[in-house]
Amino acid sequence: MTSNTRVVVIGAGLAGVRLARRLAELGASGGPALVGPGGPAAPAAPGVSVVLLGEEEHAPYNRVLLAEVLAGRYAPEVIALPAPGGLVRARVTGIDRAARTLRCADGSEIAYDTLVLATGSNPVLPPLRGLFSQGGHELPEGVHAFRTMDDCLGLSKAVREGTRAVVIGGGLLGVSAARALAMRGAQVVLAQQSERLMERQLDPAASRLVHRHLTDLGVEVHTECRVRDVRCVGGAVRSVEMADGYALDADLVVLACGVHPRTGLAQQAGLAVHKGILVDDELRTSDPHIRAIGDCVQYDGTVYGLAAPALEQADVLAGLIVAEAADSPAATDSPAATDSPADADSPADADGPGAADGSDAADGPGAASGSGAADTPPARARSAARYTGTRSLTRLTLAGGRAPFDLAAFGEPDPRPGDDVVQLADATRGTYRKVVVRDDRVVGGVLVGDLGTVGALARAWEGAEPLPGDGAPLLHLLTNDGGS
């Protein structure tokens, strides 16, 4: 028997590793300890032990930097996360909420007191003719998603000088993939269905600068261009066909069409799910014993799909778990308090998880009323920090060409009627700065080529404080580094 609260985290990506590390750090000062494979949960005040489950055969890594591995700038081990020492490889296939146990692919079971879903997202595979053989689920040879380390290593192995590569999708991931392949010497065509690149993050002027940068690298960019068919011979891709009938020869095709939250386990378990797993400001799902963080989560109508919100959610949840454990009575009646086959020390077959994109409005946060409603938390937990959403800044460096190409975007880069807009552009240097002001507050901005002011502008946006009426501080923010 044990009085520890056993926390099991499914997913060893950025969010899951951050949570486990935060709990382990708290353990160094009398907080929770991390569980290693081959032994039971180690007790540590205030009574929390952690099991971190990951599917991929690789050590946890920073998915944001996969394009740098593909470009040849970093070796895979360089982007490894400083993961805590208790990672267990296991593929979870089901959740028994009544018994508070997990079923794994190898037949083992893992008990939990608190379960945290950090399952990330899966890549979107577009409905293209020829993408799958009838009834099949395997991509043809030469066609790759770009989400996991295995995807990245597969692309790296296949690309050669002069390889004809078609990247489908011109968002952040597609632009990064096209740049990386061009740096490897491939002949790259980027096909974007909408009218401009990175339309979710950038305004038209900034998007044109990204277009120019890719063109300078030798990438052939086609916007307002829809791919409808993947043509294969002998199970290997040979070309892609556009909606207008034009065909592009291809040795490689990269699918960079976005991602969607990985919610399968949550849906099978009967949790509230819309675009993502619905959570409240304690990151609690519709089951009071299950929390969720990262790309799989939908909070207040938003699925972020970015690193910064995932890390912030992990930090908040670590504090909540410790506060609740400190106030909770001994958990001797919990499933994890008994001897069970739930010790997570047996490996299972591993696929890579994934990670996610944005979404539209939802039905509401996840701690719904009724049988799934969360219990009232103890007093100390109520006083702990809550998650209130993240104001995220997108930042990207595209190496290659004459010089690295930097860009940053935050908030709403496209103004509404009545907004004030301040823009500074230097066509010779290829720099561009734009800030959108509404009701004397910075609500969005885009910077390309020179990010010296991004720190000060981001702080003004995050603080949401009104700017003085004479406009001088805003011009100062645009023209001075302000401490980035």
Side-chain angles (χ1 to χ4, degrees):
M1 306 286 278
T2 177
S3 60
N4 282 345
T5 297
R6 183 180 177 98
V7 178
V8 177
V9 184
I10 303 177
L14 280 171
V17 168
R18 176 68 161 245
L19 175 62
R21 286 189 61 82
R22 281 286 182 261
L23 291 173
E25 288 167 3
L26 292 170
S29 58
L34 195 69
V35 181
V48 176
S49 58
V50 185
V51 178
L52 177 64
L53 306 177
E55 290 189 359
E56 294 193 62
E57 64 181 18
H58 307 281
Y61 55 89
N62 186 347
R63 201 178 306 277
V64 175
L65 296 176
L66 282 175
E68 304 305 320
V69 176
L70 178 58
R73 295 187 68 212
Y74 298 150
E77 56 269 21
V78 172
I79 71 168
L81 294 172
L87 175 65
V88 177
R89 187 188 301 173
R91 182 164 64 88
V92 177
T93 58
I95 302 169
D96 187 333
R97 290 168 52 190
R100 275 187 261 167
T101 58
L102 307 177
R103 297 184 300 275
C104 297
D106 65 353
S108 65
E109 292 188 347
I110 299 173
Y112 67 86
D113 297 311
T114 295
L115 175 64
V116 181
L117 300 176
T119 49
S121 303
N122 289 326
V124 171
L125 302 180
L128 305 178
R129 291 200 301 258
L131 190 59
F132 297 107
S133 59
Q134 188 170 7
H137 300 284
E138 296 293 325
L139 292 172
E141 180 183 345
V143 179
H144 300 260
F146 188 38
R147 193 68 219 160
T148 68
M149 181 64 78
D150 282 337
D151 294 334
C152 182
L153 296 179
L155 278 167
S156 294
K157 184 178 179 181
V159 69
R160 298 284 188 276
E161 187 82 25
T163 295
R164 299 167 300 181
V166 176
V167 178
I168 302 175
L172 183 62
L173 186 62
V175 167
S176 298
R179 185 267 309 180
L181 291 168
M183 289 180 65
R184 295 285 297 274
Q187 300 174 20
V188 184
V189 175
L190 175 60
Q192 165 72 327
Q193 185 167 331
S194 63
E195 64 181 11
R196 68 178 193 263
L197 301 176
M198 294 182 63
E199 63 174 0
R200 290 184 56 197
Q201 293 87 15
L202 304 180
D203 69 349
S207 182
R208 284 193 294 271
L209 290 175
V210 175
H211 191 297
R212 188 176 81 177
H213 175 76
L214 290 178
T215 301
D216 288 346
L217 289 177
V219 177
E220 185 180 329
V221 179
H222 296 270
T223 56
E224 298 183 275
C225 173
R226 184 172 64 85
V227 176
R228 70 180 182 188
D229 199 355
V230 174
R231 295 178 176 176
C232 300
V233 176
V237 66
R238 288 293 177 264
S239 65
V240 297
E241 182 181 328
M242 307 302 178
D244 61 3
Y246 183 72
L248 291 169
D249 292 337
D251 305 306
L252 283 179
V253 174
V254 180
L255 305 175
C257 305
V259 287
H260 55 83
R262 193 179 184 194
T263 60
L265 280 174
Q267 289 177 311
Q268 292 169 17
L271 299 179
V273 174
H274 191 245
K275 290 290 186 180
I277 303 169
L278 301 179
V279 297
D280 61 15
D281 60 0
E282 293 183 347
L283 289 313
R284 199 184 303 271
T285 70
S286 52
D287 184 319
H289 301 291
I290 302 179
R291 314 299 255 276
I293 56 175
D295 293 344
C296 64
V297 159
Q298 181 171 333
Y299 170 77
D300 195 25
T302 299
V303 178
Y304 290 97
L306 297 169
L311 298 177
E312 183 177 350
Q313 291 164 7
D315 290 347
V316 169
L317 183 55
L320 287 166
I321 287 173
V322 169
E324 291 175 4
D327 278 340
S328 295
T332 53
D333 59 344
S334 71
T338 61
D339 295 330
S340 75
D343 291 335
D345 58 357
S346 54
D349 295 336
D351 278 334
D357 69 333
S359 87
D360 53 9
D363 298 332
S369 59
S371 60
D375 298 331
T376 301
R380 188 177 303 181
R382 289 197 300 271
S383 67
R386 296 291 193 273
Y387 182 69
T388 57
T390 302
R391 295 167 71 85
S392 296
L393 180 146
T394 298
R395 189 165 181 166
L396 178 66
T397 296
L398 299 174
R402 293 185 297 269
F405 181 83
D406 296 309
L407 64 87
F410 57 90
E412 303 175 42
D414 294 317
R416 300 177 186 173
D419 289 349
D420 294 319
V421 180
V422 181
Q423 293 175 282
L424 297 175
D426 185 333
T428 302
R429 297 173 59 203
T431 62
Y432 173 73
R433 302 178 185 183
K434 170 184 173 182
V435 173
V436 180
V437 178
R438 182 179 307 140
D439 298 327
D440 297 323
R441 290 172 171 81
V442 175
V443 297
V446 180
L447 294 89
V448 177
D450 182 357
L451 304 189
T453 64
V454 67
L457 285 170
R459 286 191 291 274
W461 168 61
E462 290 169 353
E465 296 295 329
L467 299 168
D470 60 6
L474 181 56
L475 289 174
H476 177 79
L477 289 175
L478 277 173
T479 56
N480 295 274
D481 63 24
S484 60

